[in-house]
């Protein structure tokens, strides 16, 4: 229990960071579109928080607004504090870049537009990697879960017709065992693909 409690926060942080990374390209595009209207930077975050599609990014931006509204921090200091505690390295890069752009008086829309392009490019690469992984596991699935059991069942039929047995097990018992293994492998593949599937 102690070991689990020690590693759980780190594991949960990585999980949330990965989900923020998946949302971030679309968050940055949305922020860039809002920035074109020339609103105050704080209002950009207020608009994003109202959008329920960004489930995990909203939490980080809510921390930012709490620092400004309730603790009296200025925007740049709040950006840096949230950046330091964020579980997502990509969000840290976005917030640090925003802080630098605001401090230097740069064009916020231009920064967000370029950063959104970079994040979207990374997102497309990640999607391509997932597609290749899924294709690889599809080949493994066909080989292990479909072809191998068929060959084994044919062997057991031949063994049963000749009166042979394997390790003292009957043909019916071996058939049931193979069916059980196939069910477990199917569930395993479904769980793996579900865990690896991007949410966006």
């Amino acid at each position: 229990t102690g070991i689990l409690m020690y590693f759980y926060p780190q594991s949960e942080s990585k999980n949330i960071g990965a989900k923020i990374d998946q949302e971030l390209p679309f968050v940055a595009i949305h922020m860039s579109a809002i920035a074109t209207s020339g609103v105050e930077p704080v209002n950009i975050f207020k608009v994003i928080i109202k959008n329920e599609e960004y489930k995990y990014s909203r939490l980080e931006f809510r921390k930012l607004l709490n620092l400004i509204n309730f603790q009296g921090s200025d925007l740049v200091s709040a950006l840096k504090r949230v950046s330091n505690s964020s579980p997502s390295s990509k969000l840290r890069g976005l917030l640090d870049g925003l802080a630098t752009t605001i401090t230097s008086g740069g064009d916020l829309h231009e920064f967000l537009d370029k950063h959104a392009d970079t994040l979207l490019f990374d997102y497309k690469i990640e999607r391509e990697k997932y597609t290749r992984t899924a294709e690889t596991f599809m080949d493994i699935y066909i080989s292990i879960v479909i072809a191998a059991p068929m060959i084994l069942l044919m062997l057991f039929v031949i063994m049963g017709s000749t009166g042979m047995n394997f390790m003292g097990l009957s043909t019916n018992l071996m058939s049931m065992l193979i069916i059980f293994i196939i069910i477990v492998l199917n569930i395993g593949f479904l769980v793996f693909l579900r865990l690896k599937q991007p949410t966006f």
Side-chain angles (χ1 to χ4, degrees), residues 6 70 87 103 149 186 192:
Y6 178 80
F70 299 113
T103 303
N186 273 292
F192 176 81

Side-chain angles (χ1 to χ4, degrees), residues 106-190:
D107 188 335
L108 202 61
H109 167 64
E110 184 181 351
F111 165 76
L112 287 169
D113 194 42
K114 289 181 179 178
H115 204 79
D117 288 340
T118 303
L119 290 170
L120 196 59
F121 179 74
D122 292 340
Y123 174 80
K124 289 177 180 178
I125 291 175
E126 290 296 325
R127 293 290 296 194
E128 288 176 3
K129 285 181 181 178
Y130 170 75
T131 303
R132 288 196 214 97
T133 302
E135 289 173 353
T136 302
F137 274 90
M138 181 183 69
D139 294 337
I140 295 171
Y141 178 86
I142 291 171
S143 301
I144 295 176
V145 181
I146 297 176
M150 290 177 63
I151 294 170
L152 287 173
L153 284 172
M154 289 176 62
L155 287 173
F156 291 140
V157 169
I158 295 169
M159 290 168 63
S161 63
T162 57
M164 297 173 61
N165 58 18
F166 181 75
M167 296 177 63
L169 299 174
S170 66
T171 305
N172 290 336
L173 186 59
M174 287 300 298
S175 300
M176 293 298 294
L177 184 60
I178 289 172
I179 292 170
F180 176 74
I181 291 171
I182 291 171
I183 292 170
V184 172
L185 288 173
N186 273 292
I187 293 171
F189 273 108
L190 288 172

Side-chain angles (χ1 to χ4, degrees), residues 7-83:
F7 286 107
Y8 175 77
Q10 184 179 3
S11 173
E12 186 66 12
S13 175
K14 286 182 179 179
N15 185 38
I16 293 173
K19 290 177 179 177
I20 291 174
D21 289 344
Q22 290 176 5
E23 294 176 353
L24 208 54
F26 308 100
V27 173
I29 291 170
H30 197 166
M31 291 174 70
S32 176
I34 298 167
T36 56
S37 63
V39 300
E40 291 292 324
V42 175
N43 292 328
I44 295 175
F45 297 105
K46 289 180 180 178
V47 173
I48 296 296
I49 283 176
K50 292 178 182 178
N51 194 323
E52 295 183 359
E53 291 181 7
Y54 311 129
K55 182 178 178 182
Y56 297 95
S57 302
R58 289 172 68 211
L59 298 175
E60 298 300 308
F61 293 156
R62 186 171 285 128
K63 293 177 188 176
L64 177 72
L65 292 180
N66 286 342
L67 287 171
I68 295 169
N69 296 329
F70 299 113
Q71 297 188 25
S73 298
D74 61 278
L75 178 58
V76 173
S77 299
L79 284 168
K80 290 180 179 179
R81 285 182 64 181
V82 174
S83 171

